[in-house]
Amino acid sequence: MENNLEHLKLLSKRVKALVSKSNKNAEDLTLIGQLYAYFFECLSENESVGFTTLFSRVAYVSVKYKFPSLLIYYNHIFRRQIESDEKSENINDTILLGAYLIQENSKQIYRTDLGLDIEKPEIESDSTSKIKGIFKRVVKGLVINHEAGDTSFQFVDHDRPHIPAKLILDRKDFHRQFRILVKNMPFPFNINLIDVTVENEVYHAKAFVLKPNFMIGVTSISECFQSNGSFALKYLVGKLVPSDSSVHMLIGNIVNYFLDELIHDPELAFSDVVKRTFRIAPEAFSLLSDIELKQCLDKIKYHFQNLKKVVKNELSDAGITKDQAYLEPSFYSDEYGISGRLDLYHHNQSVNQSDIVELKSGKLFKANSYGLNENHFTQTLLYDLIIESLSQGKLKSSNYILYSYLDKQRLRYAPRIRAKQYEALLIRNDVIMIEHILSDF
């Protein structure tokens, strides 16, 4: 922390010199972007977490140091501006915003004044025009009718059933899905509206959850996401095509067992657990040849050694402690209509912070920009929705994926991306429609 503060003082001198410069140009804009990125690199370089984008660093630091929501919002406005191919026309204002954020971020973390004395500049939102009104995270209700050609839908709020209301879906993908839905499902039907702005009895929703009391497993949804896109029909394939047990599945189950044992006793030796391992799936082991058995034992020993390092070092570096960790807890959300079992859930009540760790024994394949498999990334985001639902949006979570086969950076940060969560809910709705169609046969 002291080291970072020394770096910060040097950085502030560069920022002060840049702000005081009279004729700022595109190179200065690039420089403030580099200084801003360096600020977050200094704060996250010693973390035992892999970061592949500035977004993930900003998201992680914001959660770790409990940035106010408005400060997080301003940080991401600036981040998008410096990452955009279309650079801001007003270079001076963008540079001032970057300098202001370095100043305010520093105050939030170090409680110290850097002497920059930069006043808050005018900040224009880069999002679409917002509707002024009451914001609600979730609204439960019924869709009762839809007139052909109308862009809105007749909606009844469970909390205000005596007042007729209109529903407008702001995102085109959900609006398109809804129009298909009303043609194939009889009125009325239950939905939950997500991220809603209410004004003059008009409900503007970013997303919706169809039949929220119908629980769909998180894994079933996340497996619909692959590197080449998301396809709800993969859920149908999973229901109809039988899956055979494999050595990979066996190793996966054993690795999960190892994590449980190591959380209880980080000093455990492989020789202490290897005999007990055979009790997990004796039939599966008995079907292996001598060569396959030796290969399997070599692999699980490698995973065990990696997990031991993670439990003793990387988890503690991320602030995840044994006494506040829960192994394989099951949760469900009747707001989002999903259920699942987390590999490891950590909740520090004293600082109102939770952590989700999803363990994966498989290899990375066509990893996304965050260095994660797309299905694994989606899985953690759905678990994040469940924790958000259980805490009524009052609990912030840091999400991680633990790749036990990696030699380094095994614990990888999975940033919370709301748009990606919307996409997962869209697929969940498609899955519900598939179930509805199957029930008619």
Side-chain angles (χ1 to χ4, degrees), residues 214-226 230-242 337 427-438:
F214 193 136
M215 295 293 146
I216 302 294
V218 163
T219 304
S220 297
I221 301 168
S222 63
E223 286 305 309
C224 295
F225 287 79
Q226 301 298 324
S230 54
F231 311 94
L233 286 176
K234 199 170 185 304
Y235 170 82
L236 180 60
V237 172
K239 285 180 73 77
L240 300 179
V241 178
I427 290 293
R428 181 212 166 271
N429 292 340
D430 283 340
V431 166
I432 292 292
M433 285 193 273
I434 289 172
E435 290 285 0
H436 175 75
I437 292 168
L438 290 176

Side-chain angles (χ1 to χ4, degrees), residues 253-288:
N253 292 332
I254 293 170
V255 170
N256 274 276
Y257 166 70
F258 285 165
L259 178 63
D260 295 353
E261 294 298 304
L262 284 166
I263 291 292
H264 286 299
D265 183 6
E267 301 300 329
L268 202 64
F270 181 69
S271 57
D272 297 329
V273 293
V274 66
K275 291 181 180 179
R276 283 178 271 164
T277 299
F278 288 95
R279 299 173 191 168
I280 296 174
E283 291 181 1
F285 274 115
S286 67
L287 294 173
L288 299 178

